[in-house]
Amino acid sequence: MMARPRIPVDDFLANLPLFRHLDGADIARVAAGVREIAAPRGTALFRRGDPCEGFHVVVFGRIKLALNSPDGAEKVIELMGPGQSFGEAVMFLEVPYMVTATALIDSKLLLVAREAVFDEIDRDARFARRMLAGLSMRLHRFISDLEAVSLRSGTERVIGYLLAQVQEADDADRGQITLPAKKGVIASRLNLTHEHFSRILHELARRDLIDVNGLQIQIRDAAKLRQYGSR
């Protein structure tokens, strides 16, 4: 299954926004503290309470970050895709992981060692600023998610999520979406039950705003969908 060749770690890191300002020698130092992780579908990269050794960067695949209650219920916190990183805040706090990370599909990641990050921060203040910027953006996104859960209806949340996923030009009115995970996972991410999420999609399709075919969703008219979500 994971038969892809080893990736050129230096080149991959150099193309990430966090590391883009570093020169070749800097990248090489960080890369020396990187470990490649092959994570077949269903692999738990870490569980809540495990010690944090650094932060992860997704090379390819899809990773689910989730909380689990004592009764087995799951709340999806975030879905991470290629080029995205996670675990930085826990690394800086030097506390155990607060969530469980699971590969939704066959994935490959880089684990950047905590010591390599701290050494680079000591060498270059710009690196620290970039890490702070990334953490600040994640906090802003978390607050937006909290606002959506607290103040928006389920329909508004689903429409906002669909529109955010659309890859389209600024003046386009149509877009094709492939949901990055099963509908139950997306529903949990939006703080909805699977059944409620499906009912909302069915209602939007009934109103000719979207077409649904499994994980494929065609937005028929983005402007009308946005207008419907702001009623």
Side-chain angles (χ1 to χ4, degrees):
M1 120 34 236
M2 308 287 283
R4 303 191 189 192
R6 285 180 58 86
I7 64 168
V9 174
D10 293 47
D11 293 343
F12 185 81
L13 292 178
N15 284 297
L16 294 175
L18 176 61
F19 300 103
R20 204 164 284 159
H21 74 283
L22 301 181
D23 61 27
D26 297 331
I27 291 288
R29 281 195 303 270
V30 175
V34 167
R35 176 160 56 92
E36 292 187 41
I37 299 175
R41 178 182 176 184
T43 299
L45 294 164
F46 54 78
R47 301 184 186 277
R48 179 183 174 94
D50 288 347
C52 177
E53 301 174 2
F55 73 93
H56 290 78
V57 183
V58 183
V59 179
F60 64 80
R62 185 73 58 183
I63 305 299
K64 174 182 68 178
L65 305 181
L67 290 169
N68 296 93
S69 66
D71 62 3
E74 180 181 77
K75 173 65 179 83
V76 177
I77 304 300
E78 204 159 4
L79 298 175
M80 312 303 294
Q84 293 183 296
S85 61
F86 56 93
E88 298 95 328
V90 176
M91 175 187 69
F92 283 120
L93 289 171
E94 299 188 78
V95 297
Y97 287 113
M98 294 178 281
V99 299
T100 296
T102 307
L104 292 176
I105 58 176
D106 295 345
S107 305
K108 175 167 281 191
L109 303 95
L110 302 179
L111 175 59
V112 184
R114 180 176 54 206
E115 292 75 14
V117 175
F118 288 176
D119 287 348
E120 200 54 45
I121 288 174
D122 289 340
R123 288 189 183 93
D124 191 339
R126 291 177 301 171
F127 186 76
R129 287 198 296 269
R130 292 210 174 198
M131 295 217 76
L132 284 171
L135 290 171
S136 298
M137 289 176 61
R138 194 161 300 162
L139 176 60
H140 179 75
R141 190 163 61 246
F142 175 78
I143 292 173
S144 297
D145 289 346
L146 183 61
E147 178 187 33
V149 170
S150 304
L151 303 178
R152 297 178 189 169
S153 69
T155 298
E156 289 172 329
R157 276 175 262 162
V158 171
I159 289 175
Y161 178 81
L162 294 179
L163 291 174
Q165 300 301 305
V166 177
Q167 300 297 317
E168 59 180 0
D170 292 339
D171 60 350
D173 287 325
R174 297 172 65 85
Q176 182 75 31
I177 296 171
T178 300
L179 295 178
K182 292 181 179 179
K183 292 175 183 175
V185 174
I186 303 298
S188 178
R189 174 72 179 82
L190 298 175
N191 207 36
L192 301 169
T193 65
H194 190 174
E195 294 75 15
H196 192 185
F197 181 62
S198 295
R199 284 199 302 272
I200 292 171
L201 291 181
H202 178 76
E203 176 63 16
L204 296 178
R206 189 182 69 81
R207 292 180 177 274
D208 292 328
L209 296 170
I210 64 173
D211 292 320
V212 182
N213 181 18
L215 297 182
Q216 300 290 325
I217 296 179
Q218 176 71 46
I219 293 181
R220 297 173 64 87
D221 190 317
K224 289 182 179 180
L225 182 63
R226 189 175 293 108
Q227 183 180 25
Y228 182 79
S230 61
R231 294 181 308 163

